Amino acid sequence: MERRDFLRSGLRGLIIAGLAAISGVFVYRNYTTKETCEFTTPCQDCKQLKSCKKPEGLKFKRDQQASKN
Amino acid sequence: MKKIFSIFSLFVLLIIDFAAFAQTQRFPRPEFESGYTQPVASMPEPRAGIFALVDVLLLIAALSLITWFIHRKRSRTGVVITSLFSIVYFGFLREGCVCSVGSVQNVVLALFNPGYHIPLSALAFFVIPLVYTLFFGRTFCAGVCPLGAVQDVFLLRPVNLKKWLQKVLGLIPWIYLGLAILYAATGTDFIICRYDPFVGIFRFNATFFMFAIGAAFLLISVFIARPYCRFLCPYGVILNLVSRVSKNHLSITPASCIQCKLCENSCPLDAINKPVEVKQMEGKRSATRRFILLGMIIPALMIIGGWVVSNFHENLAMVNSKVRLANELLHFDSNTMKESLEIEGFRTSGKTKEELYLESAAILKQFYYGSWMLGAFIGLVFGLSLAGLTRYKYREDYEPDKGECVSCARCLKYCPVESN
């Protein structure tokens, strides 16, 4: 095996290991912890949007209204 | 070929029918006159999970199919068919969401915010194309990404840009990726999704501004191949890096290159590397001097970049709704100004001003450190690009540039060599 091929295959292995580790951590966290993050960009999927008084929710509703008009 | 195409079409039709069937409300919900309200279902909605799984399975199927078309069949027609499917399914039917380009932000948010649960489909859409790229090159860009596919079908009269212009414009995706990471890491916004030029077209609900940008990109695509992919796409940057170490990348010739030069100008992305003659070895002293100079320039660019961008951290933070609201409240005078919807919403939320200011200060601090890192990152990219210009690489044959090539398979038909 050439030096460059050796380095490339090493890097490939590292990337795969990194992706596997990150995925594993995220999946494990999803099933073992409670979600506390308040980040809700996709307001359209939020079930509380209708009664939402948060600035983000209000802005989203106003934008929606503007795009309809 | 025809048989495969008919099986594939049948499979797609079945999937679409299944989706349409599952979405129909078979029994209307009863309305009670007594005022009884139906309880909220305590179980998660099963359809979302199933459809997310269907999306992921279709992504894997499309990636496998296009990889087979490119590497085994060496067929441009196959790439076009897969592109059309991706535009229809991942573009118009799924309305461009979930997409791998945007999933970068989900991953970043999950990395920096342990309280965020990343949707598994978003994680799959981030990881799977990377794994395929690692083994087969950017086959995802070739025709599975609806954003790339929609630009590719518009390419009618390709014009090659000057190399220096490509190099300069090629720096933009790095800056865009850096900004997207900064905004996702601070939980501010998903700017890639917000400013995606094609999603509004796929959803038929684009604002005039975004529609104009999308239409401009499509118009440019008629002459310049994939302008969004090459000069803006942040996921393309990651795929570009990963593809450089790919195990089996597309090759122009199926056997040995006969140097006929027919493929030389066949790539609309200018992603074919030409043979480079053997050069006389550079003197040791001059090489050492160059190495030291670059070793000093790169850290200097990183420090300058970090300092410059950190000076703008307050401006960058203004995208954050909490920082904006705190700033608005700070300058609000009830005697002379009318209360905005945001301030009204804040008053009804029951939160105190002090709490908001504290939160805002914490976010500003995150932006200060984040903008230092962003600036250093941009400096590093500039420095490495400069270093790349001085690099010499001997090459015997016409080869696709493993980073830039999106495996569109256009060059294959130019090669007169037949496979053994």
Side-chain angles (χ1 to χ4, degrees), chain B residues 62-83:
Chain B
L63 272 167
S64 306
L65 192 71
I66 203 163
T67 305
W68 181 71
F69 276 132
I70 294 166
H71 286 265
R72 278 293 167 108
K73 301 297 283 182
R74 299 178 63 81
S75 156
R76 168 75 190 152
T77 318
V79 173
V80 174
I81 291 168
T82 319
S83 300

Side-chain angles (χ1 to χ4, degrees), chain A residues 6-21:
Chain A
F6 173 74
L7 287 173
R8 279 199 190 113
S9 61
L11 263 174
R12 265 199 303 276
L14 265 178
I15 295 170
I16 289 181
L19 288 173

Side-chain angles (χ1 to χ4, degrees), chain A residues 2 7 10 17-18 20 23 30 34-36 50 57-58 61 64:
Chain A
E2 275 182 33
L7 287 173
S23 307
N30 278 10
K34 205 179 165 193
E35 186 160 27
T36 52
K50 239 179 191 177
L58 290 172
K61 281 190 270 189
Q64 287 285 93

Side-chain angles (χ1 to χ4, degrees), chain B residues 8 26 38-39 71 74 101 116 133 147 158 186 208 223 237 251 278 300 310 313 330 340-341 345 386:
Chain B
F8 180 68
R26 284 180 292 167
Q38 292 184 46
H71 286 265
R74 299 178 63 81
V101 181
Y116 172 67
T133 305
L147 310 183
T186 52
F208 176 74
F223 305 103
V237 164
S251 63
V278 181
S310 69
H313 77 279
L330 200 65
S340 69
L341 260 177
L386 275 175

Side-chain angles (χ1 to χ4, degrees), chain B residues 25-169:
Chain B
Q25 179 83 44
R26 284 180 292 167
F27 305 105
R29 285 186 173 197
E31 285 175 17
F32 298 96
E33 288 175 4
S34 60
Y36 171 76
T37 50
Q38 292 184 46
V40 179
S42 55
M43 295 288 284
E45 293 172 31
R47 269 192 276 158
I50 288 172
F51 280 99
L53 185 65
V54 169
D55 288 344
V56 174
L57 289 176
L58 276 174
L59 173 75
I60 294 170
L63 272 167
S64 306
L65 192 71
I66 203 163
T67 305
W68 181 71
F69 276 132
I70 294 166
H71 286 265
R72 278 293 167 108
K73 301 297 283 182
R74 299 178 63 81
S75 156
R76 168 75 190 152
T77 318
V79 173
V80 174
I81 291 168
T82 319
S83 300
L84 293 175
F85 164 75
S86 297
I87 294 170
V88 172
Y89 185 77
F90 294 116
F92 287 104
L93 281 175
R94 294 298 297 118
E95 299 181 333
C97 190
V98 53
C99 90
S100 301
V101 181
S103 69
V104 177
Q105 302 162 116
N106 295 82
V107 172
V108 170
L109 183 63
L111 275 173
F112 284 85
N113 192 337
Y116 172 67
H117 283 186
I118 185 169
L120 293 183
S121 57
L123 182 61
F125 268 71
F126 176 76
V127 170
I128 293 167
L130 282 175
V131 173
Y132 269 80
T133 305
L134 212 47
F135 287 96
F136 306 108
R138 292 170 67 175
T139 52
F140 170 75
C141 300
V144 181
C145 174
L147 310 183
V150 77
Q151 293 169 84
D152 210 77
V153 294
F154 270 80
L155 183 63
L156 299 172
R157 293 199 172 274
V159 176
N160 277 349
L161 293 175
K162 298 268 183 208
K163 271 277 182 212
W164 67 265
L165 187 60
Q166 287 185 49
K167 286 271 177 209
V168 173
L169 292 175

Side-chain angles (χ1 to χ4, degrees), chain A:
Chain A
M1 190 187 268
E2 275 182 33
R3 188 188 57 175
R4 279 193 178 165
D5 288 337
F6 173 74
L7 287 173
R8 279 199 190 113
S9 61
L11 263 174
R12 265 199 303 276
L14 265 178
I15 295 170
I16 289 181
L19 288 173
I22 287 174
S23 307
V25 168
F26 288 166
V27 173
Y28 177 77
R29 196 198 279 166
N30 278 10
Y31 286 105
T32 53
T33 59
K34 205 179 165 193
E35 186 160 27
T36 52
C37 180
E38 289 176 7
F39 183 78
T40 49
T41 293
C43 285
Q44 58 191 8
D45 298 331
C46 178
K47 293 181 184 78
Q48 276 92 45
L49 181 66
K50 239 179 191 177
S51 56
C52 180
K53 294 267 171 30
K54 283 183 176 175
E56 293 91 342
L58 290 172
K59 186 178 181 306
F60 180 79
K61 281 190 270 189
R62 198 180 52 197
D63 291 348
Q64 287 285 93
Q65 198 60 41
S67 66
K68 273 179 195 168
N69 299 333

